[in-house]
Amino acid sequence: MFKSASFFRIADDFVLPPLDALEEALQATRFLPCGATQPESSGWVAPRGNKSTALVETINRQLIVRLCTERRPVPASAIKAAIEERVEKYKQETGRERVGAKIKKEFKEEVLLDLMPRAFTKQSSTTLWLDPVNKFIVVDSGSLTGADKVVSFLVEALSSIPGAAGLKAQPVQTSQSAAASMAHWLSSREAPVGFTVDRDCELKTPDDEKSTVRYSRHTLEIDEVAKHIEAGKVPTQLAMTWNDRVSFVLSDAGQIKKLKLLDVVLDGIGDKDKDDDGFDTDAAILTGELSAMIPDILEALGGELNSDVALTRQAQELAAA
């Protein structure tokens, strides 16, 4: 169900509105495919798939929704060629050697309107899990930008419900950066409590060259890895396992990728324990495992910053950028 995870913290005073009101709000922005000249369209789809019409699913007090985005990309090379063709024709018709920026902009708009209906569409869906008990949002995305888009859509939907409290959510920030923590674990050859370091890792130099070293299915308990870190390379990805139950890759931005439940979790689940489509069982298992794992990850990264400190750090990072 989830292959990646980006974490957001919800304000403690958030109260989930009635589910029928939330369902109605999501139905108002249900997914519709792109129009002929529309570059992108986003909306909510049924988490359970095409066999269901419900846009909100709740399992063990956990809420699951899914946002679908369809894009109609036009190749940049095709746009450029069509614009150049119009420019040359314009020069021949007017006798002018130079074409102004305003006219080129008009040509680009015409080209897009002409080419877009012929472009193939691409769809992608992102699942969001809202935990109203522990005040977390987890988005199935390894990109903070992509995850933030889905959260923003949910915030907008909730704000449209009369009398509902607004959803305040911000990315989780920890006392120690994931990159610094991974560097410490690799250098000391000591994983945090409850975790093991696996056999995949990526290190990069934090400069313009971005020199990269990758280890795949290779022991990381070697002097060579520590020497790379001493030389200034920073871990950007590290494969880990939590309590022999969940494996994943931790990124330097604190996102989780390649999330996988291990056999010890799944072996006890037989076909008789599953519902018709397996959705409820899969959701219950996944949210149960991640609910226990997330606090351990945050603890391994030095603990979660409170909202005031996180906002101050965020402002400092923006000012330094």
Side-chain angles (χ1 to χ4, degrees), residues 189-201:
R189 304 182 189 181
E190 184 176 348
V193 175
F195 294 87
T196 56
V197 170
D198 296 337
R199 294 162 55 85
D200 293 271
C201 177

Side-chain angles (χ1 to χ4, degrees), residues 83 87 90-91 94 96-108:
I83 292 174
V87 167
Y90 178 84
K91 287 179 179 180
T94 62
R96 297 179 181 179
E97 287 298 320
R98 300 188 64 181
V99 179
K102 182 178 179 181
I103 294 177
K104 286 184 178 180
K105 182 180 179 183
E106 292 174 356
F107 286 162
K108 183 176 182 180

